[in-house]
Amino acid sequence: MSINDIENLFLFAGGLGMFLFGMHSMSDGIQKTTGSKMQELLGVLTHNRLIAVLAGALITAIIQSSGATTVMVVGFVNAGIMSLEQAVGVIMGANIGTCITSWIVSMGQLGDSFKALSPSLYAPLLVGIGAFLIMFAKKQKKRNIGDILIGLGLLFIGLDFMKNSAADYMELPIFTQAFALFGNNPILGILIGAIVTGIMQSSSAAVGILQTLAATGGVVTTSSAIYISLGSNIGSCFTALLSSVGAPRNAKRTAVIHLSFNVIGAVIFGVATSLFFKFNPAFGSAGIDSVGISVFHTVFNLVCTILLFPFASYLVKLSGIIVKGKDEEEVDESDERVTLRHLDDRILESPSFAVENAILEVVHMGKIVQSNLKCAYEAILDYSQDKIQKVYETEKTINSMEKMITEYLVKISNLSLNEEQHTVINNLFYSVSDIERVGDHTENLVELVDVKDGQPIVFSEMAQEELKEIMKLVFQAYSCAIEAREKHSIDAANSVSKYEDQVDNMEEELRETHIERLSKQLCSPTNGVVFLDIISNLERISDHAYNLAGYVMSEE
């Protein structure tokens, strides 16, 4: 091996590295720039299947990997955010979205007649502008644009490096024979495409390399390119399959749906094209350029989606046959296992979705505390040992949830987030703490009336009416605080402030009137102390509700 061969090897390796890093940097920058839009897509995914297909295509176009999208979908299904039926649509869309990279690569392979329009010409300039934005721009949005430009520039520079380093070798007989062999043997071509994609963990990257080799000359035949492209679609399933190992049954079924969809499509196109090439051998052995590969890649994924879209429910049934067993049993929403399932690490593949999922889980915790608060009210006003015990049990769950959600937020905070997302995550840390404190005060409420073997504490009719009134205000304040976080509603957050003021005023009034009752001996000292402690805890709950609303308002 000569020094020139070593140089070309290093050039190809460096080009591949720049290509992969460029894809990552570009998708990372796009995700940061479109953070809020990506979060809105989570709600879109719960609509009809056609919208799910469009959403899946858009998400994959942004993150540049159908495998990563499917891994996220496995996480969504496992978390109970998405059903298997909805997952089918997103998976179909993911295959369409992955075509965007092949078209970007095609732009970089424009001929000499289009040299002035070739992105490769402007790639160094894009890197330069991107670097200046990252170094000198004060606003984070401009820095994110810099990430996108650097990623795009490196992608094209990397493609040029690979193309130039491989050009000297493409005329060697071994490459000509290899691609001829792939073209004559569909199974081998598909297998090679699947293996390369499985190793690289990205069908976009595998097809991009194939396009680069095709651009060096006529060595890549049409038939070999088609079979390798079909194999790359199957290989993109490996990431999701590996991700589903050890996951619950529905998560495995999601990965199987992705695999079966791509295998069925590859079989249909593989058989159809092999028959066509049999009767038109000259077409199959003819050379193909990068644009031709992009066209086939896009047509294949569009046609597969159109053909199999009406049979989506059958793909779900097929996954049930392959992954046997009954569906997971429904678990009580207040069970900590639900939270553990929701905080699926696969969703971390997309920081924007991970942030949205964290918000949903904090709201979930808040609603469990809300339900526990209501149970505590009932236990106080109409003494019930069963309800008191239920509050204790739920408080244990709340403490476990706090630990799990906090750990998940730590993972998200280490992801690539924009300023807005960092603010949200920081506020969620505080929100979890405040919600947990509300849970503690709820437990305090029932502890005050939990006399166990003694006589239940009974308040006078007047005291009961006063408690009902302040309890109602506190409950409304806390409910509005959770609604503000769930819907990012400023109106709900403003309502919390009004309720909190009313609670503060009422707590002072009730304290004064009750002390007056005690001084006139109209109430027993024991019951009087319990009453004062109850309204004190209620006032603290409203304070925490005010904090929760404040975090939402600070994000505006």
Side-chain angles (χ1 to χ4, degrees):
M1 182 180 285
S2 67
I3 191 69
N4 189 52
D5 294 330
I6 295 173
E7 183 183 1
N8 283 333
L9 179 63
F10 288 173
L11 196 64
F12 189 87
L16 179 60
M18 281 191 279
F19 173 69
L20 295 174
F21 180 78
M23 282 177 59
H24 172 76
S25 180
M26 183 173 63
S27 66
D28 196 38
I30 293 173
Q31 284 195 67
K32 287 179 182 177
T33 306
T34 61
S36 58
K37 299 292 187 299
M38 289 281 281
Q39 290 177 27
E40 290 170 13
L41 279 175
L42 188 60
V44 171
L45 296 178
T46 61
H47 286 65
N48 65 54
R49 196 181 299 140
L50 180 59
I51 295 176
V53 171
L54 297 174
L58 182 59
I59 294 165
T60 307
I62 291 171
I63 66 176
Q64 299 284 296
S65 172
S66 60
T69 300
T70 310
V71 167
M72 274 195 299
V73 171
V74 170
F76 287 142
V77 172
N78 185 45
I81 298 171
M82 186 187 297
S83 68
L84 282 171
E85 287 74 14
Q86 292 163 345
V88 176
V90 181
I91 289 168
M92 289 178 173
N95 278 25
I96 296 171
T98 197
C99 299
I100 190 70
T101 308
S102 65
W103 283 107
I104 292 173
V105 173
S106 297
M107 289 170 59
Q109 308 295 339
L110 293 172
D112 292 337
S113 57
F114 296 96
K115 188 67 178 175
L117 301 175
S118 174
S120 300
L121 178 66
Y122 303 103
L125 179 62
L126 293 176
V127 173
I129 294 172
F132 273 104
L133 286 173
I134 290 173
M135 294 292 292
F136 303 111
K138 293 182 179 179
K139 291 185 178 180
Q140 185 61 42
K141 284 187 177 180
K142 289 184 179 179
R143 292 178 187 169
N144 294 338
I145 293 172
D147 283 334
I148 297 170
L149 293 177
I150 286 179
L152 196 58
L154 287 178
L155 188 151
F156 289 125
I157 291 172
L159 286 170
D160 271 357
F161 272 32
M162 287 192 289
K163 177 183 173 182
N164 295 334
S165 63
D168 295 339
Y169 304 99
M170 284 297 100
E171 294 179 3
L172 294 176
I174 187 172
F175 285 99
T176 306
Q177 292 168 7
F179 281 108
L181 180 62
F182 299 152
N184 293 328
N185 191 326
I187 295 175
L188 184 60
I190 291 172
L191 188 62
I192 289 295
I195 291 172
V196 172
T197 303
I199 292 171
M200 300 192 70
Q201 299 282 294
S202 172
S203 61
S204 298
V207 173
I209 292 173
L210 180 64
Q211 288 177 288
T212 303
L213 297 177
T216 59
V219 68
V220 179
T221 62
T222 301
S223 56
S224 62
I226 286 175
Y227 297 141
I228 292 171
S229 295
L230 294 176
S232 73
N233 273 57
I234 296 174
S236 68
C237 304
F238 292 167
T239 310
L241 287 170
L242 288 172
S243 171
S244 68
V245 174
R249 197 169 290 111
N250 274 349
K252 289 188 176 75
R253 286 174 180 168
T254 306
V256 167
I257 288 171
H258 187 211
L259 178 63
S260 58
F261 173 72
N262 284 341
V263 167
I264 291 170
V267 168
I268 292 172
F269 266 78
V271 171
T273 53
S274 62
L275 288 174
F276 178 78
F277 294 144
K278 187 175 183 180
F279 293 104
N280 297 275
F283 188 86
S285 59
I288 188 172
D289 59 14
S290 59
V291 176
I293 294 174
S294 296
V295 170
F296 171 76
H297 200 222
T298 305
V299 169
F300 165 69
N301 287 304
L302 283 172
V303 171
C304 280
T305 300
I306 293 168
L307 286 177
L308 297 178
F309 186 82
F311 304 101
S313 58
Y314 292 100
L315 288 174
V316 175
K317 289 179 181 177
L318 178 62
S319 71
I321 294 170
I322 296 172
V323 182
K324 298 183 184 295
K326 296 180 180 179
D327 293 336
E328 280 83 11
E329 295 179 5
E330 289 294 322
V331 185
D332 183 356
E333 280 297 308
S334 63
D335 193 321
E336 64 189 69
R337 287 176 295 169
V338 173
T339 296
L340 184 61
R341 191 184 76 190
H342 286 183
L343 304 180
D344 196 304
D345 284 352
R346 297 172 187 85
I347 300 173
L348 298 175
E349 288 283 342
S350 172
S352 298
F353 283 127
V355 171
E356 183 66 16
N357 191 48
I359 293 172
L360 292 175
E361 214 40 51
V362 170
V363 170
H364 176 225
M365 178 184 175
K367 287 183 176 179
I368 291 174
V369 172
Q370 183 180 356
S371 177
N372 212 34
L373 182 60
K374 185 178 180 182
C375 188
Y377 284 0
E378 293 169 355
I380 292 169
L381 297 173
D382 186 13
Y383 183 81
S384 169
Q385 191 63 39
D386 288 341
K387 288 181 178 177
I388 289 173
Q389 291 306 315
K390 184 179 178 183
V391 170
Y392 290 150
E393 288 301 316
T394 305
E395 174 57 17
K396 291 178 184 176
T397 300
I398 292 165
N399 290 335
S400 297
M401 289 176 73
E402 181 203 17
K403 184 172 181 282
M404 288 187 289
I405 294 173
T406 300
E407 289 173 352
Y408 192 69
L409 290 174
V410 169
K411 292 178 182 177
I412 296 175
S413 66
N414 290 322
L415 299 177
S416 184
L417 305 176
N418 59 31
E419 276 187 54
E420 180 186 344
Q421 291 166 337
H422 269 299
T423 301
V424 171
I425 292 300
N426 287 338
N427 285 341
L428 290 180
F429 274 113
Y430 296 128
S431 297
V432 169
S433 179
D434 276 290
I435 291 171
E436 195 276 332
R437 289 298 297 141
V438 172
D440 289 343
H441 287 296
T442 302
E443 186 179 38
N444 292 346
L445 290 173
V446 294
E447 283 178 343
L448 290 169
V449 296
D450 184 11
V451 291
K452 305 239 186 302
D453 300 327
Q455 280 291 105
I457 292 175
V458 179
F459 298 107
S460 66
E461 189 174 333
M462 181 182 294
Q464 283 224 359
E465 288 302 316
E466 289 172 344
L467 284 176
K468 284 180 182 177
E469 191 175 349
I470 192 171
M471 281 175 173
K472 182 180 178 181
L473 288 173
V474 171
F475 192 80
Q476 286 173 324
Y478 182 74
S479 299
C480 285
I482 298 302
E483 182 187 346
R485 170 49 66 196
E486 181 178 21
K487 300 178 180 178
H488 203 82
S489 170
I490 299 302
D491 289 339
N494 286 328
S495 297
V496 175
S497 181
K498 295 174 185 175
Y499 286 126
E500 205 273 334
D501 287 340
Q502 292 178 45
V503 170
D504 285 347
N505 294 333
M506 190 172 185
E507 193 259 350
E508 290 180 14
E509 291 173 10
L510 294 184
R511 187 174 294 279
E512 290 175 5
T513 55
H514 200 69
I515 290 173
E516 188 177 336
R517 280 200 296 269
L518 283 170
S519 66
K520 294 179 179 179
Q521 297 184 339
L522 297 175
C523 178
S524 70
T526 302
N527 289 9
V529 171
V530 170
F531 181 91
L532 294 174
D533 283 344
I534 287 174
I535 61 173
S536 177
N537 276 281
L538 290 171
E539 192 274 333
R540 291 296 298 134
I541 290 173
S542 73
D543 286 344
H544 288 295
Y546 180 78
N547 291 344
L548 290 168
Y551 304 141
V552 176
M553 295 181 75
S554 71
E555 293 164 17
E556 283 298 299

Short mmCIF file of all heavy atoms in Angstrom, two decimals, residues 373 377 381 465-479 499 503 506 538:
data_model
loop_
_atom_site.label_atom_id
_atom_site.label_comp_id
_atom_site.label_asym_id
_atom_site.label_seq_id
_atom_site.Cartn_x
_atom_site.Cartn_y
_atom_site.Cartn_z
N LEU A 373 -55.31 15.46 47.67
CA LEU A 373 -55.79 16.60 48.46
C LEU A 373 -57.30 16.52 48.64
O LEU A 373 -57.82 16.78 49.74
CB LEU A 373 -55.41 17.90 47.75
CG LEU A 373 -55.77 19.21 48.44
CD1 LEU A 373 -55.09 19.32 49.80
CD2 LEU A 373 -55.39 20.42 47.57
N TYR A 377 -59.44 16.20 52.20
CA TYR A 377 -60.58 17.05 52.57
C TYR A 377 -61.74 16.20 53.08
O TYR A 377 -62.36 16.49 54.11
CB TYR A 377 -61.07 17.85 51.35
CG TYR A 377 -60.21 19.04 50.96
CD1 TYR A 377 -59.06 19.36 51.67
CD2 TYR A 377 -60.55 19.83 49.88
CE1 TYR A 377 -58.28 20.44 51.31
CE2 TYR A 377 -59.78 20.92 49.50
CZ TYR A 377 -58.64 21.22 50.23
OH TYR A 377 -57.88 22.30 49.86
N LEU A 381 -63.49 16.39 56.83
CA LEU A 381 -64.88 16.84 57.03
C LEU A 381 -65.81 15.70 57.42
O LEU A 381 -66.81 15.91 58.10
CB LEU A 381 -65.38 17.51 55.74
CG LEU A 381 -64.62 18.78 55.33
CD1 LEU A 381 -65.08 19.25 53.96
CD2 LEU A 381 -64.82 19.88 56.37
N GLU A 465 -68.10 24.84 58.13
CA GLU A 465 -68.41 25.71 57.00
C GLU A 465 -67.21 26.57 56.62
O GLU A 465 -66.93 26.81 55.44
CB GLU A 465 -69.61 26.61 57.35
CG GLU A 465 -70.94 25.88 57.41
CD GLU A 465 -71.28 25.18 56.10
OE1 GLU A 465 -71.09 25.80 55.02
OE2 GLU A 465 -71.69 24.01 56.13
N GLU A 466 -66.50 27.03 57.67
CA GLU A 466 -65.30 27.84 57.40
C GLU A 466 -64.22 27.02 56.70
O GLU A 466 -63.57 27.50 55.75
CB GLU A 466 -64.76 28.40 58.72
CG GLU A 466 -65.64 29.48 59.32
CD GLU A 466 -65.19 29.89 60.72
OE1 GLU A 466 -64.41 29.14 61.34
OE2 GLU A 466 -65.63 30.96 61.20
N LEU A 467 -64.06 25.77 57.16
CA LEU A 467 -63.07 24.89 56.53
C LEU A 467 -63.43 24.60 55.06
O LEU A 467 -62.57 24.61 54.19
CB LEU A 467 -62.95 23.57 57.30
CG LEU A 467 -62.17 23.61 58.62
CD1 LEU A 467 -62.23 22.26 59.31
CD2 LEU A 467 -60.71 24.00 58.36
N LYS A 468 -64.73 24.35 54.83
CA LYS A 468 -65.17 24.07 53.46
C LYS A 468 -64.85 25.24 52.54
O LYS A 468 -64.41 25.05 51.40
CB LYS A 468 -66.68 23.79 53.44
CG LYS A 468 -67.07 22.42 53.95
CD LYS A 468 -68.59 22.24 53.89
CE LYS A 468 -68.99 20.87 54.45
NZ LYS A 468 -70.46 20.69 54.46
N GLU A 469 -65.04 26.45 53.06
CA GLU A 469 -64.83 27.64 52.24
C GLU A 469 -63.36 27.83 51.89
O GLU A 469 -63.00 28.06 50.73
CB GLU A 469 -65.37 28.88 52.98
CG GLU A 469 -65.44 30.11 52.09
CD GLU A 469 -66.08 31.30 52.79
OE1 GLU A 469 -66.65 31.11 53.89
OE2 GLU A 469 -65.98 32.41 52.24
N ILE A 470 -62.48 27.70 52.88
CA ILE A 470 -61.05 27.90 52.61
C ILE A 470 -60.48 26.73 51.82
O ILE A 470 -59.61 26.90 50.96
CB ILE A 470 -60.25 28.13 53.91
CG1 ILE A 470 -58.82 28.62 53.55
CG2 ILE A 470 -60.19 26.89 54.78
CD1 ILE A 470 -58.03 29.10 54.75
N MET A 471 -61.01 25.52 52.08
CA MET A 471 -60.56 24.35 51.32
C MET A 471 -60.88 24.51 49.83
O MET A 471 -60.09 24.16 48.97
CB MET A 471 -61.23 23.08 51.85
CG MET A 471 -60.62 22.53 53.13
SD MET A 471 -61.57 21.12 53.74
CE MET A 471 -60.54 20.56 55.09
N LYS A 472 -62.07 25.04 49.57
CA LYS A 472 -62.49 25.24 48.18
C LYS A 472 -61.56 26.21 47.48
O LYS A 472 -61.13 25.97 46.33
CB LYS A 472 -63.93 25.76 48.14
CG LYS A 472 -64.47 25.95 46.74
CD LYS A 472 -65.90 26.47 46.76
CE LYS A 472 -66.42 26.69 45.33
NZ LYS A 472 -67.79 27.23 45.32
N LEU A 473 -61.21 27.31 48.14
CA LEU A 473 -60.31 28.30 47.55
C LEU A 473 -58.92 27.70 47.29
O LEU A 473 -58.33 27.93 46.23
CB LEU A 473 -60.18 29.52 48.47
CG LEU A 473 -61.39 30.44 48.57
CD1 LEU A 473 -61.15 31.50 49.64
CD2 LEU A 473 -61.68 31.10 47.22
N VAL A 474 -58.41 26.94 48.26
CA VAL A 474 -57.08 26.32 48.12
C VAL A 474 -57.09 25.31 46.98
O VAL A 474 -56.15 25.27 46.16
CB VAL A 474 -56.65 25.64 49.44
CG1 VAL A 474 -55.38 24.81 49.23
CG2 VAL A 474 -56.42 26.69 50.52
N PHE A 475 -58.15 24.52 46.92
CA PHE A 475 -58.24 23.51 45.86
C PHE A 475 -58.29 24.17 44.48
O PHE A 475 -57.67 23.70 43.53
CB PHE A 475 -59.48 22.63 46.07
CG PHE A 475 -59.50 21.40 45.22
CD1 PHE A 475 -58.77 20.28 45.59
CD2 PHE A 475 -60.24 21.35 44.04
CE1 PHE A 475 -58.77 19.13 44.81
CE2 PHE A 475 -60.24 20.21 43.24
CZ PHE A 475 -59.50 19.10 43.63
N GLN A 476 -59.04 25.28 44.37
CA GLN A 476 -59.13 25.99 43.10
C GLN A 476 -57.77 26.60 42.72
O GLN A 476 -57.38 26.58 41.55
CB GLN A 476 -60.19 27.10 43.18
CG GLN A 476 -61.62 26.56 43.17
CD GLN A 476 -62.65 27.64 43.43
OE1 GLN A 476 -62.41 28.56 44.23
NE2 GLN A 476 -63.80 27.54 42.79
N ALA A 477 -57.06 27.12 43.72
CA ALA A 477 -55.73 27.70 43.46
C ALA A 477 -54.78 26.63 42.93
O ALA A 477 -54.08 26.84 41.92
CB ALA A 477 -55.17 28.32 44.74
N TYR A 478 -54.76 25.49 43.59
CA TYR A 478 -53.85 24.41 43.18
C TYR A 478 -54.25 23.84 41.81
O TYR A 478 -53.40 23.59 40.96
CB TYR A 478 -53.83 23.29 44.23
CG TYR A 478 -52.88 22.18 43.88
CD1 TYR A 478 -51.50 22.35 43.98
CD2 TYR A 478 -53.37 20.96 43.40
CE1 TYR A 478 -50.63 21.33 43.62
CE2 TYR A 478 -52.50 19.93 43.04
CZ TYR A 478 -51.14 20.13 43.16
OH TYR A 478 -50.27 19.13 42.80
N SER A 479 -55.55 23.66 41.59
CA SER A 479 -56.03 23.13 40.30
C SER A 479 -55.66 24.05 39.15
O SER A 479 -55.24 23.59 38.08
CB SER A 479 -57.56 22.93 40.34
OG SER A 479 -57.92 22.01 41.34
N TYR A 499 -56.71 33.70 43.82
CA TYR A 499 -57.14 32.74 44.86
C TYR A 499 -56.19 32.78 46.06
O TYR A 499 -56.62 32.69 47.21
CB TYR A 499 -57.19 31.32 44.29
CG TYR A 499 -58.36 31.05 43.38
CD1 TYR A 499 -58.17 30.54 42.09
CD2 TYR A 499 -59.68 31.31 43.79
CE1 TYR A 499 -59.25 30.29 41.25
CE2 TYR A 499 -60.76 31.06 42.94
CZ TYR A 499 -60.53 30.56 41.67
OH TYR A 499 -61.59 30.31 40.84
N VAL A 503 -57.03 33.35 49.96
CA VAL A 503 -56.69 32.36 50.99
C VAL A 503 -55.93 33.04 52.13
O VAL A 503 -56.20 32.79 53.31
CB VAL A 503 -55.86 31.21 50.40
CG1 VAL A 503 -55.30 30.32 51.51
CG2 VAL A 503 -56.70 30.37 49.44
N MET A 506 -58.33 35.12 54.16
CA MET A 506 -59.28 34.28 54.89
C MET A 506 -58.61 33.55 56.04
O MET A 506 -59.19 33.37 57.11
CB MET A 506 -59.92 33.28 53.92
CG MET A 506 -61.10 32.54 54.55
SD MET A 506 -61.98 31.54 53.35
CE MET A 506 -63.33 30.97 54.39
N LEU A 538 -53.22 24.59 54.89
CA LEU A 538 -53.94 24.97 53.67
C LEU A 538 -53.33 26.24 53.07
O LEU A 538 -53.19 26.35 51.84
CB LEU A 538 -55.43 25.19 53.98
CG LEU A 538 -56.24 23.93 54.31
CD1 LEU A 538 -57.63 24.31 54.81
CD2 LEU A 538 -56.36 23.03 53.08
#
